[in-house]
Amino acid sequence: MYPIKTSDFFNHTLNKELWDIDIVRNLSEDSFATRSSILYAIYSSKYKIEFCFKKNRKLYYINVSSI
């Protein structure tokens, strides 16, 4: 389990393993690919967390939204 707190986004302490596309791919429940990026979605009881990686396998952004 990888706990994520909103403060992690502001003080740059997000778990470094979540920057790894292979780990996020294994955790994800849904994915969507475009020519320039890949989006992985993880669902919890109240939130959807989206991880967007560029084709160079670098984390581009994370989006958290309520379901």
Side-chain angles (χ1 to χ4, degrees), residues 9-42:
F9 298 108
F10 298 110
N11 61 16
H12 305 290
T13 58
L14 181 68
N15 190 321
K16 296 301 179 200
E17 293 172 337
L18 294 176
W19 290 74
D20 185 335
I21 191 172
D22 296 319
I23 291 174
V24 173
R25 182 185 306 123
N26 289 332
L27 293 172
S28 70
E29 300 168 37
D30 201 3
S31 65
F32 178 76
T34 66
R35 288 190 311 196
S36 62
S37 62
I38 303 170
L39 183 77
Y40 294 104
I42 300 171

Side-chain angles (χ1 to χ4, degrees), residues 37-61:
S37 62
I38 303 170
L39 183 77
Y40 294 104
I42 300 171
Y43 300 93
S44 70
S45 60
K46 296 181 181 181
Y47 300 99
K48 175 175 71 169
I49 305 169
E50 298 172 344
F51 292 83
C52 182
F53 289 88
K54 289 293 192 180
K55 287 293 185 176
N56 61 3
R57 302 175 56 93
K58 300 281 185 185
L59 182 63
Y60 185 59
Y61 70 82

